[in-house]
Amino acid sequence: MTRVRSHMQLDGVLFFPVTPFTGTGELAEGVLAEHVKHGVDAGPGGVFAACGTGEFHALEPEEYERVVRVAVEATAGKAPVFAGAGGPLPLARRYAAIAQRAGADGVLLLPPYLVGSPPDGLVDYVEQVASASDLPLIVYQRNNAVFTPESAVRAANLPTVVGFKDGLGDLDQMQRIVLAVRGAVHKPFQFFNGLPTAEMTVPAYRGIGVELYSSAVFCFAPQISLAFYDAVTTGNTSQVNTFLSEFFRPLVELRDSVPGYAVSLVKAGVRLRGLEVGSVRAPLVDPSPEHVRELDRIIAKGLELL
C-alpha cells in the first residue's frame, strides 16, 4: 500500500452534501451531481459525501458507491472528496474499500454500531478500518465513540490517520486531546469541529486550536457560510456575533425542536433554494410545513445580513 495521499491538508469551509432521493425513494444521481457542482463552484475546502448530512446511515453499499462516484465526478478535482464509513466492523471496512474504488481522496470514519466499547477497542476498530484501504482517514468522535487523550494519540499515530473530528462538544476533553496529539504525533495532522451547526461553537473551538469545521449551511446557502467564515478568519467579531445572534441561533433553536432535524432541515433548506432533493429516509422525518416556513424566514434573514 502506497498511502501517497496521507499528508493532504484541508483548509476553508467543508461541504457536506445531502443525498437526494426521487419521489419514490431511489437515489437521484443527476440531482446529486447538480448539488455537488453548485457547492464546488462556491469554493469549499473539501467535499464530504455520504456522511452524516448525506444520510450515510440510510444507504446500502451499492447506493453508497454510486453517491461517492457521482461526488468525485462532479467535484472534478477542484476539492478533495472524503466519503463516510462506519457501523459494524466488516461493513466499515467494506465502505472504506468502496470509497477508494470509487475515487475518493479520503475517509471520514463514523462510530461503530451502537455498542459501548473501551478506548482500546475503538483504537482497534480504527486500525482495522484504516487497513482496508490506502486512503487518509479522519476519526470522528461522537455518540458512543469516545476517546481518551491516550487512545486518541494511539489512533492518530496510525499511518493513514490524518485527522480527528469532535462531535461531543466537551471542550475540556477536546483540549486535552489536542494537546496530547500535538505533543506526541509528528506528522501533518488536523482537528475538526464536527458539532451540528458547527458555526455556533466556532469561536470556542478556535480558542483551543481547532479551526476546521463542518458547515451544513453551505449545502443551501453557501454565501452565508462563506461570509461567516470570512468574518471569523479576519477577526471581524462584530459580524461574527451578528451572524450568530440573528441567523445561527434561530436555526439551532429550530433544529433542536425535533430529533433528526440536523439533517432534515438541511435537506429542506436545499429544497427551499430551488433544488428538489426529495425527502429524508426513515427513521428521520421531513420538517412540518410550519417549520419549513420558519426555516425560510431564517434563511431570508441570513441573506439580508450579507
Side-chain angles (χ1 to χ4, degrees):
M1 293 189 177
T2 58
R3 309 190 191 284
V4 293
R5 289 174 282 196
S6 61
H7 298 304
M8 176 176 52
Q9 296 281 282
L10 296 171
D11 190 24
V13 178
L14 305 179
F15 171 32
F16 285 67
V18 302
T19 297
F21 301 117
T22 67
T24 54
E26 288 85 23
L27 181 64
E29 294 185 34
V31 181
L32 174 60
E34 184 178 353
H35 177 47
V36 173
K37 286 177 182 176
H38 178 73
V40 169
D41 286 345
V47 177
F48 286 70
C51 294
T53 305
E55 297 181 78
F56 167 80
H57 68 276
L59 301 174
E60 48 88 18
E62 288 73 22
E63 288 178 319
Y64 169 86
E65 181 164 3
R66 288 158 60 198
V67 168
V68 178
R69 285 190 184 279
V70 169
V72 169
E73 291 169 4
T75 301
K78 296 177 182 177
V81 177
F82 277 67
L89 178 59
L91 274 177
R93 287 175 51 83
R94 181 177 175 188
Y95 284 124
I98 291 172
Q100 179 166 343
R101 184 169 72 230
D105 297 295
V107 169
L108 175 63
L109 182 58
L110 283 71
Y113 186 68
L114 294 177
V115 59
S117 57
D120 285 350
L122 286 174
V123 175
D124 188 32
Y125 179 80
V126 174
E127 183 171 18
Q128 291 198 50
V129 177
S131 69
S133 83
D134 293 331
L135 297 179
L137 185 144
I138 297 167
V139 175
Y140 198 173
Q141 168 173 261
R142 61 178 295 173
N143 300 102
N144 57 309
V146 181
F147 290 78
T148 62
E150 294 76 18
S151 60
V153 167
R154 288 174 55 202
N157 269 316
L158 294 170
T160 56
V161 173
V162 298
F164 189 91
K165 182 177 180 181
D166 179 56
L168 292 181
D170 183 336
L171 289 178
D172 179 84
Q173 183 245 28
M174 188 59 183
Q175 178 71 92
R176 294 168 190 267
I177 286 175
V178 169
L179 293 173
V181 170
R182 287 187 173 157
V185 176
H186 306 295
K187 64 179 177 181
F189 196 88
Q190 297 185 289
F191 296 95
F192 304 76
N193 171 1
L195 289 176
T197 321
E199 284 89 348
M200 280 295 289
T201 53
V202 161
Y205 270 83
R206 286 177 69 87
I208 63 169
V210 180
E211 298 185 357
L212 288 166
Y213 61 93
S214 313
S215 178
V217 170
F218 192 93
C219 283
F220 59 83
Q223 60 271 65
I224 297 175
S225 182
L226 291 168
F228 177 81
Y229 178 79
D230 182 67
V232 166
T233 55
T234 59
N236 189 339
T237 304
S238 174
Q239 184 73 344
V240 168
N241 290 336
T242 298
F243 272 112
L244 291 177
S245 297
E246 300 187 29
F247 174 74
F248 288 106
R249 183 173 65 183
L251 180 63
V252 166
E253 290 172 351
L254 180 58
R255 180 203 73 199
D256 288 347
S257 65
V258 176
Y261 265 19
V263 175
S264 303
L265 280 181
V266 176
K267 213 163 194 180
V270 178
R271 291 196 298 271
L272 282 171
R273 301 289 287 156
L275 188 61
E276 187 44 65
V277 291
S279 296
V280 291
R281 282 181 172 170
L284 300 181
V285 297
D286 290 321
S288 66
E290 176 187 356
H291 286 164
V292 171
R293 289 191 292 270
E294 178 62 19
L295 176 62
D296 199 18
R297 289 191 289 269
I298 292 170
I299 294 172
K301 180 60 179 179
L303 293 173
E304 287 178 10
L305 297 178
L306 302 178

